[in-house]
Amino acid sequence: MTSRRELANAVRALAMDAVEAAKSGHPGMPMGMADIAEVLWNDFLKYNPGNPKWPNRDRFVLSNGHGSMLQYALLHLTGFELPMAQLKRFRQLHSKTAGHPEASETPGVETTTGPLGQGLANSVGFALAEKLLAEHFNRPGHAIVDHHTFVFMGDGCLMEGVSHEVASLAGTWKLGKLVAIYDDNNISIDGEVEGWFTDDTPKRFEAYGWNVIRGVDGHDSEAVKKAIAAATAQHEKPTLICCKTIIGFGAPHKQGKEESHGAPLGKDEVAAARDALDWRHPPFEIPEDIYAAWDKKKVGAEREQQWNEAFAKYAAAYPELAAEFRRRMAGELPADWARQSQGYVDKVQADGPDVASRKASQMALDAFGPLLPEMIGGSADLAGSNLTMWKGSRSVTGPDGNYVHYGVREFGMSAIANGLALHGGFIPYDGTFLVFSDYARNAVRMSALIPAHSIHVYTHDSIGLGEDGPTHQPVEHLASLRLIPNNRVWRPCDAVESAVAWKEAIEHRRGPSCLIFSRQTLKHQQRTAQQLADIKRGAYVLHDPADTKFKAILIATGSEIELAMEAARTLAQQNVPVRVVSMPCNEVFDAQLLEYREGVLPGWCRARVAVEAASADFWRKYVGLDGEVIGMSTFGASAPAGALFEHFGFTVANVVDAVKRVTG
């Protein structure tokens, strides 16, 4: 009979061997948490290695993602499509075993982790998604949504401020199927944590409203099993299980020390650990009896089949709900979405409202929200300013909720939204002022890297917000967000572009979108049918001179489009014909075929001026060395918007002069 310790030692051995082969990695945490992981994955976690995306699986998140070999070893041993050859290529180019777990690369990995604390935040999103889906779809006798979210985390996760934000919300929302297991090993990279982490963690989580299980010996399998059983037996509160462990457990000279945290143990210490653990097998060799004890392919398939049979009964009783559940979990939009959403865009173009784009955003939500029950919104205590609530918004603390009041927690909000998106069944959007995207930026970066279908709404997009002054006026933020790979940043110029931006963000499933909206009113722009169709291509010709060839190109976004159009009219009167290009999303435009891009910004016209009330340097790649940029090179100031635009040079006269300079 294979013992629990032998099963855990298989994980330890694979972690040691893979890190040693790579000459890089973190063996300490996998060795320290192996006993806990063995109990969880063998006795509690509900999953099917043959179908990592089974809808009712438990979600497992490794928030302390530096210990990635723990998860890779578990996935390999239990039967996921992660062969030993991949473990041998740990941290190598194009392997499925990256230095930190990546959801896009490795079957069975639910979210990309590494930046500490964000895995915990994603887990809160997973647990909230489970709770809301269960409330919406389950019926008496038909619990088709019924699973837990388990997250491993360490001292570093708890030191990060985002852990405070999301743990507070998890307690407020009473996410009773969230179980966090704290690896309390007293070690971080700099050594023993007593000098910089003396929080009373159990009291802290009790204050958040969590169920806390203290003092569990993380190397006593029966104690761990008892704690997890107690956590999963109640659903009133999220649970924190505090497990005391020894980092690098089994490595006799380095266990309990920072030396085992983030570097290979070394050949001699690995050999000593094999002796100490009584693991008498060569590197990367697992005995068949241990493989057999770990294998979950058969039991996983049986669990999924049982759920499939239960779902079939549910579908017979509630066919419309079942069809809706399948559609949402598959990430498919409603059958009539394309027609109805385009109909709204056409209507806005015909109506031609002059509104702030933040109001245009709310109008789009009022139109699209009823079509998309999977939409779940929220704001970091700025709903009345961001206008992220629409007519059908209902708080998640009430029945059938679809709106989250996150409080002043921008980072936690965005990371939770990523979890909602990754769980499936939801399209999340969140909101704050653009200047406060700084607080959220790492979660936005992660939504692009994962990738997660999150929509980040940022209002008060420039110095145009006025009197609040430079602390609230974004300058570098647009450029910063645009620099994130795979992140679509839309800054629309009117209600029509705002509607298209929302439509495109909803349809774009391969990553996040940032929608940037104004506080001030923006003038409606007239368009032909072709111009309307070309908005979704990221940039298009909004204006060309009627009967003559243009001499220069004006490129603008957002509120500066109106300025560019006025300048074009003035220049026309002075016999300087110009083209005006609206570029609401440069990333989408850059992905267009060369023929289209050349049609909008032809290479022969080197006389170009870009106008945007934001950092100027971003636009150099579009205007070239011969062009000019009217933008910001300083912080803003506290004054009415009109005075600020004039003070910083966003005037018709300044644009006209710039065009004349580039045209010689």
Side-chain angles (χ1 to χ4, degrees):
M1 182 71 177
T2 306
S3 70
R4 285 192 179 277
R5 181 52 56 85
E6 288 177 290
L7 297 180
N9 284 346
V11 174
R12 292 187 172 98
L14 288 173
M16 288 191 300
D17 294 341
V19 171
E20 199 66 28
K23 305 301 180 190
S24 172
H26 298 74
M29 187 281 271
M31 298 175 74
M33 293 198 79
D35 295 305
I36 302 168
E38 185 278 321
V39 173
L40 177 64
W41 280 65
N42 279 324
D43 291 10
F44 292 96
L45 199 67
K46 184 172 59 177
Y47 57 97
N48 179 10
N51 181 13
K53 296 299 183 182
W54 168 36
N56 201 43
R57 68 192 181 279
D58 288 337
R59 271 61 171 180
F60 173 78
V61 175
L62 195 73
S63 190
N64 42 356
H66 54 273
S68 56
M69 266 311 304
L70 174 72
Q71 188 162 15
Y72 299 147
L74 294 165
L75 293 170
H76 170 75
L77 291 168
T78 53
F80 284 81
E81 191 59 41
L82 194 67
M84 185 67 81
Q86 290 293 332
L87 273 62
K88 291 180 178 179
R89 298 191 63 246
F90 178 54
R91 289 189 164 219
Q92 304 308 301
L93 187 64
H94 303 313
S95 77
K96 294 185 181 296
T97 49
H100 293 80
E102 296 183 26
S104 61
E105 301 298 321
T106 312
V109 172
E110 299 286 358
T111 182
T112 301
T113 57
L116 294 175
Q118 287 201 62
L120 171 60
N122 296 163
S123 299
V124 174
F126 284 131
L128 178 61
E130 192 277 342
K131 180 178 182 178
L132 296 176
L133 288 171
E135 290 174 352
H136 183 77
F137 285 103
N138 287 355
R139 293 295 182 270
H142 298 278
I144 61 159
V145 181
D146 182 13
H147 54 265
H148 284 80
T149 299
F150 295 93
V151 55
F152 282 6
M153 60 187 187
D155 292 305
C157 294
L158 294 176
M159 286 186 239
E160 289 287 357
V162 70
S163 71
H164 296 259
E165 296 181 21
V166 301
S168 173
L169 286 168
T172 298
W173 296 335
K174 296 180 171 55
L175 300 181
K177 291 185 180 177
L178 173 62
V179 179
I181 300 179
Y182 168 32
D183 178 30
D184 183 9
N185 61 32
N186 199 46
I187 295 293
S188 66
I189 292 175
D190 281 354
E192 297 184 6
V193 300
E194 278 97 349
W196 50 89
F197 186 54
T198 58
D199 300 15
D200 189 330
T201 296
K203 284 186 179 180
R204 170 185 156 192
F205 276 75
E206 286 170 350
Y208 293 144
W210 286 53
N211 172 45
V212 177
I213 301 174
R214 301 166 178 248
V216 178
D217 181 348
H219 302 296
D220 181 338
S221 297
E222 289 307 310
V224 172
K225 183 176 181 178
K226 181 180 178 181
I228 298 175
T232 55
Q234 63 84 42
H235 294 156
E236 291 73 38
K237 297 179 178 181
T239 296
L240 175 71
I241 301 175
C242 300
C243 289
K244 198 68 182 174
T245 64
I246 300 172
I247 192 170
F249 182 91
H253 306 107
K254 294 187 177 182
Q255 68 177 12
K257 301 177 181 178
E258 66 272 16
E259 296 169 75
S260 68
H261 173 85
L265 296 176
K267 181 180 177 181
D268 292 343
E269 186 70 2
V270 169
R274 277 183 149 77
D275 288 340
L277 296 170
D278 196 25
W279 185 261
R280 308 297 179 183
H281 313 290
F284 296 108
E285 182 176 303
I286 304 296
E288 287 303 317
D289 62 328
I290 290 181
Y291 266 131
W294 270 107
D295 188 7
K296 293 296 181 294
K297 293 190 291 293
K298 183 174 183 292
V299 69
E302 290 172 351
R303 282 173 173 160
E304 182 175 358
Q305 181 57 31
Q306 291 170 359
W307 182 83
N308 288 337
E309 292 170 1
F311 188 84
K313 294 177 181 178
Y314 173 80
Y318 305 99
E320 292 183 1
L321 278 174
E324 181 72 1
F325 180 81
R326 290 193 193 97
R327 178 189 71 76
R328 286 176 58 171
M329 294 306 294
E332 298 170 355
L333 293 171
D336 205 29
W337 161 258
R339 183 187 66 82
Q340 293 196 62
S341 59
Q342 187 58 49
Y344 175 71
V345 172
D346 294 341
K347 180 180 184 302
V348 177
Q349 181 63 50
D351 291 346
D354 291 350
V355 294
S357 54
R358 63 170 175 163
K359 179 60 180 177
S361 168
Q362 187 179 52
M363 291 162 55
L365 286 170
D366 279 333
F368 297 155
L371 309 178
L372 298 169
E374 59 264 50
M375 285 275 281
I376 180 167
S379 174
D381 204 46
L382 288 169
S385 295
N386 298 149
L387 302 186
T388 43
M389 296 187 76
W390 57 283
K391 293 175 183 176
S393 291
R394 302 173 300 275
S395 173
V396 296
T397 58
D400 206 22
N402 63 2
Y403 192 86
V404 184
H405 293 279
Y406 285 101
V408 188
R409 300 181 179 95
E410 294 87 357
F411 190 1
M413 168 183 71
S414 302
I416 288 171
N418 290 341
L420 285 164
L422 290 166
H423 180 279
F426 290 101
I427 300 175
Y429 67 90
D430 53 59
T432 187
F433 290 165
L434 177 57
V435 75
F436 298 139
S437 65
D438 279 342
Y439 285 130
R441 191 178 188 281
N442 199 263
V444 176
R445 181 179 188 272
M446 292 306 295
S447 58
L449 175 60
I450 291 170
H453 186 194
S454 302
I455 301 173
H456 306 295
V457 176
Y458 300 126
T459 68
H460 296 60
D461 66 345
S462 73
I463 57 172
L465 69 87
E467 292 85 349
D468 273 340
T471 62
H472 283 54
Q473 292 167 4
V475 173
E476 74 279 18
H477 301 75
L478 279 167
S480 175
L481 292 170
R482 287 166 175 156
L483 287 173
I484 299 174
N486 195 41
N487 186 39
R488 291 185 170 185
V489 180
W490 291 85
R491 187 177 184 237
C493 75
D494 65 1
V496 177
E497 286 190 2
S498 298
V500 173
W502 263 111
K503 185 176 187 296
E504 291 299 304
I506 289 166
E507 294 176 1
H508 176 60
R509 294 184 57 202
R510 299 181 303 279
S513 298
C514 296
L515 307 184
I516 316 298
F517 298 121
S518 72
R519 179 193 184 198
Q520 71 271 31
T521 298
L522 304 183
K523 185 177 180 180
H524 171 72
Q525 301 297 325
Q526 295 297 323
R527 296 175 182 85
T528 65
Q530 186 59 57
Q531 288 171 323
L532 183 64
D534 285 343
I535 295 173
K536 68 180 181 181
R537 304 180 81 164
Y540 63 102
V541 178
L542 180 62
H543 166 77
D544 260 344
D547 302 315
T548 186
K549 188 176 183 179
F550 56 88
K551 294 181 179 180
I553 301 174
L554 279 170
I555 311 168
T557 74
S559 54
E560 288 70 69
I561 281 290
E562 184 176 344
L563 176 60
M565 292 292 285
E566 290 179 7
R569 287 188 283 269
T570 300
L571 286 160
Q573 294 169 2
Q574 300 176 16
N575 296 316
V576 184
V578 299
R579 164 176 283 188
V580 177
V581 169
S582 176
M583 191 180 287
C585 184
N586 75 284
E587 187 188 67
V588 172
F589 175 68
D590 290 349
Q592 301 301 307
L593 295 175
L594 177 61
E595 181 181 10
Y596 180 78
R597 287 182 282 129
E598 179 69 16
V600 176
L601 297 175
W604 62 261
C605 184
R606 299 166 67 89
R608 302 179 183 183
V609 176
V611 188
E612 187 176 60
S615 179
D617 287 347
F618 169 82
W619 290 99
R620 300 294 177 190
K621 71 174 184 176
Y622 294 108
V623 302
L625 295 176
D626 299 324
E628 290 199 14
V629 181
I630 298 174
M632 296 291 294
S633 59
T634 68
F635 292 113
S638 180
L644 290 171
F645 278 117
E646 182 174 358
H647 174 74
F648 288 105
F650 296 97
T651 64
V652 171
N654 200 25
V655 176
V656 167
D657 288 346
V659 170
K660 289 180 177 179
R661 286 193 296 272
V662 299
T663 54

